[in-house]
Amino acid sequence: MSKKNIKILAIETSCDETAAAVILGNGKNNLKILSNIVASQIDLHRITHGIVPEVASRAHVEKIIPVIQESLLKSRIKLKDIDLFAVTIGPGLVGSLLVGIDIVRALAYASDKPVISVNHVEAHIYANFVDVSQKFPAIVLVVSGGHTQLILMRGHGNYKVLGSTIDDAAGEAFDKVAKILGLPYPGGPSISEEASKKQKVKSRSIKFPRPMIDTDDFDFSFSGLKTAVLYKVRELTSNRKSPLNRDLITAIAYEFQNAIVDVLVTKTTKAARKYKTKTIMLGGGVAANKLLRSELKKRVKKEVPNSKFYIPAPKFCTDNAAVVGANTFYKYSHDKKFLKNWKKVGLNLNPKL
Ligand code: KG4
Ligand code: ZN
């Protein structure tokens, strides 16, 4: 298949969003998102204050066909005109991933078209390529519910993972701290909202550690920070019968967010200086965080002024299928042998980043 225009139907079901998107690719670097539909399971998982994998899988089964239908309808592209199918194959919840994988295999089989496997972390990186093409080398900070990675990207498909979390992911820390504070799931947006009230309330100042901020490597650790929050809450509630009052919750959320953002930004700018990168990019659900976005922007300007800085729109940071399609288009347009190889191997269930 060698076409000027390529139409891709992309599916994402790795965690708790059932998503489908139709992408129109043109030439080497031009792509247009014709539709990007996301059915969120947040209301379902709020009841249990976190994801119950079987509940997530069942919700994907229920939503996947209507979501695909809506994405095709909105794009005005017919299923028979899709050239390429793409699906997230991991990392993620196995029962959730299999729903997307199986439907895409069936669609591709019935239409005799190739199906491409996409790595979830790589798809998060491609949020940065949805409406622009970036200069390399680039540093990408991927921060989601399951991942925290600093990646050096020297070209399309060319990655070196500089560092990762050694325990909890950044989003996981937001979610767990929110639970400790009695804030609703998902923790990221609720902590961010709570922290924004700090200016309005007068409360004592609380300090939390910045784990591994000064180490020479690019690894992260957030489990100690989460424990520091837990101990602080215990200390503040030990002599009273009543739970934390609102001002204290706000103060803790504010300082926790400051600590985590400080670590993420410090390590990202340090990596950008070390590797003299031309671009700094962000991806993953935590990249939707307002403080992270504004702090990174501020400090890149000050500390790495020669580097360009790009932040994707929040809707492309959290899980969605448009970035799965964007990733697939760039693989297709930058690697002549790509489709040939894919036809040979079929669906690769273990592609590495
Ligand atoms: O990328 P994503 O949608 O799913 C995974 O691949 O995990 O990321 C979800 C994570 C959750 O932990 C959620 O709390 C966090 O992203 N998140 C945020 C914000 N929005 C979502 N964290 C901080 N601030 C936000 N505004
Ligand atoms: Zn994700």
Side-chain angles (χ1 to χ4, degrees):
M1 184 198 329
S2 167
K3 294 185 84 171
K4 201 162 175 280
N5 285 313
I6 179 150
K7 300 177 201 81
I8 303 169
L9 174 64
I11 308 290
E12 151 64 40
T13 62
S14 69
C15 193
D16 58 348
E17 320 279 11
T18 316
V22 178
I23 275 89
L24 182 66
N26 181 280
K28 272 194 122 167
N29 298 313
N30 298 316
L31 71 89
K32 199 169 167 192
I33 292 160
L34 301 182
S35 64
N36 184 23
I37 309 297
V38 181
S40 174
Q41 302 177 3
I42 282 178
D43 291 344
L44 207 57
H45 302 311
R46 193 164 278 153
I47 304 166
T48 43
H49 220 294
I51 300 167
V52 176
E54 191 185 324
V55 173
S57 314
R58 285 174 186 272
H60 284 306
V61 171
E62 209 179 296
K63 294 277 170 58
I64 189 72
I65 290 180
V67 164
I68 292 174
Q69 281 173 327
E70 197 182 336
S71 75
L72 286 166
L73 203 69
K74 191 151 183 228
S75 70
R76 296 169 184 266
I77 302 282
K78 294 209 163 63
L79 185 59
K80 68 175 179 46
D81 296 323
I82 295 292
D83 301 304
L84 207 55
F85 293 88
V87 62
T88 308
I89 56 101
L93 300 171
V94 173
S96 290
L97 288 161
L98 287 176
V99 178
I101 291 170
D102 253 11
I103 193 125
V104 162
R105 287 175 72 209
L107 289 174
Y109 176 71
S111 28
D112 196 25
K113 296 282 163 56
V115 46
I116 308 302
S117 317
V118 173
N119 177 294
H120 187 57
V121 175
E122 194 176 0
H124 273 311
I125 294 174
Y126 273 80
N128 295 278
F129 295 86
V130 162
D131 40 32
V132 276
S133 100
Q134 307 286 3
K135 288 208 168 97
F136 299 113
I139 285 287
V140 204
L141 173 68
V142 180
V143 266
S144 70
H147 295 90
T148 301
Q149 290 190 320
L150 254 181
I151 297 160
L152 173 65
M153 187 175 180
R154 293 197 174 97
H156 291 289
N158 184 342
Y159 311 104
K160 182 178 178 198
V161 178
L162 303 176
S164 307
T165 178
I166 59 168
D167 41 54
D168 292 356
E172 194 181 349
F174 269 99
D175 294 337
K176 287 179 176 167
V177 165
K179 197 171 178 179
I180 295 171
L181 296 178
L183 297 172
Y185 175 86
S190 47
I191 286 192
S192 168
E193 198 193 323
E194 194 61 38
S196 69
K197 297 177 191 156
K198 174 71 164 66
Q199 273 72 17
K200 291 180 210 138
V201 296
K202 260 207 207 143
S203 57
R204 76 182 87 178
S205 163
I206 288 168
K207 279 271 160 248
F208 288 130
R210 268 85 173 137
M212 297 181 77
I213 197 164
D214 291 323
T215 53
D216 287 336
D217 52 42
F218 293 106
D219 286 333
F220 301 90
S221 165
F222 297 117
S223 143
L225 179 56
K226 169 196 69 191
T227 311
V229 173
L230 182 67
Y231 286 170
K232 178 56 79 183
V233 170
R234 280 193 190 151
E235 176 200 316
L236 292 169
T237 50
S238 61
N239 334 333
R240 338 166 184 190
K241 291 215 170 69
S242 59
L244 285 181
N245 70 34
R246 203 75 215 175
D247 286 5
L248 280 169
I249 293 176
T250 306
I252 294 173
Y254 176 84
E255 173 53 15
F256 164 75
Q257 184 176 246
N258 281 351
I260 203 162
V261 165
D262 194 10
V263 175
L264 292 171
V265 171
T266 302
K267 294 233 155 170
T268 306
T269 53
K270 192 171 124 194
R273 283 197 305 275
K274 177 165 178 185
Y275 292 95
K276 299 189 172 45
T277 49
K278 295 203 170 119
T279 319
I280 295 170
M281 311 189 286
L282 261 181
V286 181
N289 183 272
K290 281 189 194 143
L291 184 73
L292 175 61
R293 295 161 81 91
S294 63
E295 276 303 300
L296 193 54
K297 192 171 177 184
K298 217 191 299 167
R299 287 186 43 193
V300 166
K301 228 173 162 182
K302 209 166 116 198
E303 296 167 27
V304 213
N306 294 331
S307 182
K308 256 189 64 194
F309 174 65
Y310 184 83
I311 359 179
K315 69 176 177 193
F316 296 127
C317 293
T318 45
D319 288 346
N320 69 92
V323 296
V324 175
N327 187 187
T328 304
F329 166 65
Y330 272 94
K331 285 181 176 183
Y332 164 82
S333 68
H334 285 256
D335 180 359
K336 284 206 176 84
K337 293 196 200 119
F338 175 65
L339 276 186
K340 238 167 127 193
N341 287 342
W342 277 103
K343 283 219 162 119
K344 248 187 268 162
V345 296
L347 191 65
N348 178 0
L349 284 175
N350 189 23
K352 294 208 174 86
L353 181 68

